Amino acid sequence: MSLRLPRVDRILDHPALASSPALRSIQKRLVNDILAELRRRALAGEISEAPEVEAIAREVERRLAEVMTPRPRALINATGVLLHTNLGRAPLSRAAVAAMTAAAGTCELEFEVETGRRGSRLTWLRPLLAALLGAEDVHVVNNGAAALLLACTAVGRPGGVVLSRGQMVEIGDGFRVAEMAAAGGAQVWEVGSTNRTHLADYAAGLAGELPGQSRGAAAILWVHLSNFSQAGFVHQPTLGELAALGRERGAPVVADLGSGSLGGIVGEEPTVQEYLSQGADLVTFSGDKLLGGPQAGLLAGSAALVGKCRRHPLARALRPDKTTVAALHATAIAYASGQADTLPLRRMMAWSEDQLRARAEALGQRLGWSSGQVRTSEATVGGGSLPGDVMVSVALAVPTADPAATATALRRAGVVGRVSAGELLLDLRTVAPEEEEALAAAVRAVAAGRKDMP
Ligand SMILES: *Cc1c(COP(=O)(O)O)cnc(C)c1O
């Protein structure tokens, strides 16, 4: 059924719309979006009458206010997921934020103050990261996927890379490591089966013996099973065995570690240093996962391979911006000076159950809730690291008759909790103590508007 919708001009001229020539084009676009939605809904039989011009104009105003608010807004992560990709992964340290602010204006990004000549944006960061990681050289791009893409494109051509079917990881939002590795033109040769891959499978790929191969593959790609694990009748050569095979055949091992731990954390996540010492020639990982820094992609390994990546044309397309370089440098300084425990991610990991319980009790009391609202909970690291690894945590169960509706109201007020077993939980492990006051204020504001909350 088709609707008799008002004309665009009539809506734009309605007095409910703030008139400003600058806003006119965005208002027009919003009107068109709304009219298109109404037509779709009419076709689907969801509505049979067009709304009043005034109602549409008010909806335009509401959407205008939304798009004219600077985003992303800050939120408090009370989900218990430490590295929540949708919430921006690792929160940055104060030093990293200060460094980003300092770099935001004009800065010595690629400039040598001493000589006044062109410099490199990684002049100071490179030796520091290389020393921390135990790598000959390090390069930085804008995220982990970019590091993988650059490594496979620069090192895996011609001939492509050999990858076990047991390591064909999908990392989230439908993105698959094998497809990202191939996006720059390097062929990915799948070998083995889902559960079992043998050294001979890799050897066949390097020798050019797989169906369709016209030459041997240039490299081995190893992908860390960052978000799942396999058990049962499984086999996978070790990284060390693959490195030995690669050396014998003159093919480097590119290892996508993803999570990028430098050690000193709970759980059994492999570290970059371990991967390198086991023989990986080039390790790629993210800056905003277990490293606890900004969104960035790091490539650590031999000088020859890192140099190949640095000089590849893609490197220019994938380079990190000045604020990223600044935040990553501040994060690296924290590690190098033995202050890694000051990084927000590491602080989240360090709380003991008793400390969290004390914080939860105090916060519950401040909100006037009974001590019966404190729950033992489970926090997870998230962000594609430590599959199945949970950390004991403590949460406050929000007293409400409608957890889902209260969760929505709290999100609008800037606090993201987690609904579990019919309760809305606010997990204290992912909340910094300095955020507690704002969290309490948001909860009070929501409670004031709901009859089902004390
Ligand atoms: C997270 C992850 C990536 C992608 O890193 P981004 O920083 O999200 O681009 C690639 N590979 C693995 C194994 C990962 O865990």
Side-chain angles (χ1 to χ4, degrees):
M1 176 159 141
S2 77
L3 288 186
R4 297 180 60 89
L5 290 169
R7 286 201 341 266
V8 174
D9 289 354
R10 269 192 68 209
I11 302 168
L12 288 175
D13 290 338
H14 194 278
L17 284 188
S19 73
S20 128
L23 291 176
R24 195 73 174 182
S25 64
I26 170 75
Q27 286 172 334
K28 196 164 167 186
R29 195 188 163 102
L30 294 171
V31 169
N32 282 323
D33 288 350
I34 292 169
L35 295 182
E37 279 166 34
L38 290 171
R39 271 184 221 107
R40 246 194 327 273
R41 290 180 60 198
L43 273 175
E46 291 167 20
I47 51 171
S48 55
E49 253 176 79
E52 298 289 326
V53 171
E54 158 135 17
I56 299 176
R58 293 209 182 283
E59 177 62 10
V60 172
E61 257 324 82
R62 194 190 64 75
R63 292 189 189 191
L64 184 68
E66 284 211 322
V67 297
M68 295 299 280
T69 305
R71 309 279 173 120
R73 290 173 301 185
L75 292 173
I76 293 174
N77 174 8
T79 63
V81 180
L82 278 67
L83 291 170
H84 200 303
T85 297
N86 306 141
L87 299 183
R89 290 200 187 146
L92 293 174
S93 66
R94 252 184 236 168
V97 173
M100 288 179 107
T101 307
T106 305
C107 64
E108 54 172 351
L109 182 62
E110 291 183 349
F111 184 75
E112 286 181 356
V113 169
E114 286 305 316
T115 61
R117 284 204 290 264
R118 184 181 206 288
S120 148
R121 62 183 64 200
L122 297 182
T123 301
W124 299 278
L125 188 48
R126 243 170 102 184
L128 190 52
L129 281 175
L132 280 172
L133 299 168
E136 275 178 24
D137 200 358
V138 177
H139 186 57
V140 180
V141 289
N142 62 27
N143 63 15
L148 171 72
L149 169 67
L150 179 58
C152 291
T153 311
V155 176
R157 293 175 64 188
V161 299
V162 190
L163 171 65
S164 161
R165 291 197 172 91
Q167 295 184 342
M168 298 187 69
V169 179
E170 179 172 305
I171 55 169
D173 198 22
F175 286 100
R176 293 169 173 167
V177 165
E179 291 168 3
M180 297 187 297
Q187 179 108 28
V188 173
W189 299 97
E190 304 170 20
V191 295
S193 58
T194 307
N195 57 329
R196 292 174 73 82
T197 303
H198 305 279
L199 207 56
D201 295 317
Y202 287 94
L206 294 181
E209 290 163 0
L210 302 173
Q213 269 185 317
S214 58
R215 65 197 305 160
I220 293 170
L221 175 59
W222 168 283
V223 180
H224 175 48
L225 304 189
S226 57
N227 52 11
F228 76 106
S229 55
Q230 282 195 328
F233 190 53
V234 294
H235 179 75
Q236 172 67 46
T238 64
L239 191 50
E241 287 166 346
L242 289 178
L245 173 71
R247 271 195 301 279
E248 196 185 297
R249 307 290 169 93
V253 176
V254 174
D256 177 22
L257 174 56
S259 50
S261 167
L262 297 197
I265 55 159
V266 291
E268 287 167 12
E269 194 69 8
T271 64
V272 181
Q273 302 92 308
E274 279 162 11
Y275 262 33
L276 288 169
S277 68
Q278 284 162 21
D281 299 284
L282 193 57
V283 180
T284 67
F285 58 99
S286 303
D288 55 358
K289 291 184 181 172
L290 290 175
L291 189 70
Q295 177 188 306
L298 288 90
L299 301 102
S302 76
L305 295 183
V306 173
K308 228 174 158 174
C309 292
R310 176 177 298 115
R311 287 187 302 273
H312 193 279
L314 260 187
R316 172 63 187 242
L318 304 176
R319 72 181 182 183
D321 91 300
K322 57 187 179 179
T323 58
T324 300
V325 173
L328 193 57
H329 198 162
T331 307
I333 290 170
Y335 279 96
S337 57
Q339 311 268 303
D341 293 344
T342 63
L343 298 173
L345 177 70
R346 305 283 282 243
R347 281 172 67 205
M348 288 181 193
M349 289 182 165
W351 295 106
S352 71
E353 186 182 347
D354 286 345
Q355 288 171 322
L356 291 174
R357 194 169 300 280
R359 284 178 55 199
E361 279 164 4
L363 185 58
Q365 231 162 45
R366 245 163 95 181
L367 289 165
W369 298 350
S370 93
S371 58
Q373 297 305 115
V374 175
R375 303 277 179 278
T376 300
S377 117
E378 275 183 349
T380 54
V381 176
S385 38
L386 305 155
D389 252 8
V390 293
M391 304 173 75
V392 63
S393 191
V394 180
L396 278 172
V398 179
T400 168
D402 190 344
T406 302
T408 304
L410 260 179
R411 284 199 306 275
R412 288 195 186 116
V415 177
V416 188
R418 155 177 112 238
V419 176
S420 167
E423 286 195 308
L424 171 55
L425 299 180
L426 301 176
D427 197 306
L428 269 293
R429 188 175 285 284
T430 49
V431 177
E434 53 273 24
E435 290 174 319
E436 282 178 12
E437 196 165 318
L439 185 147
V443 170
R444 280 196 205 98
V446 166
R450 297 190 61 84
K451 292 195 185 70
D452 64 327
M453 284 181 70

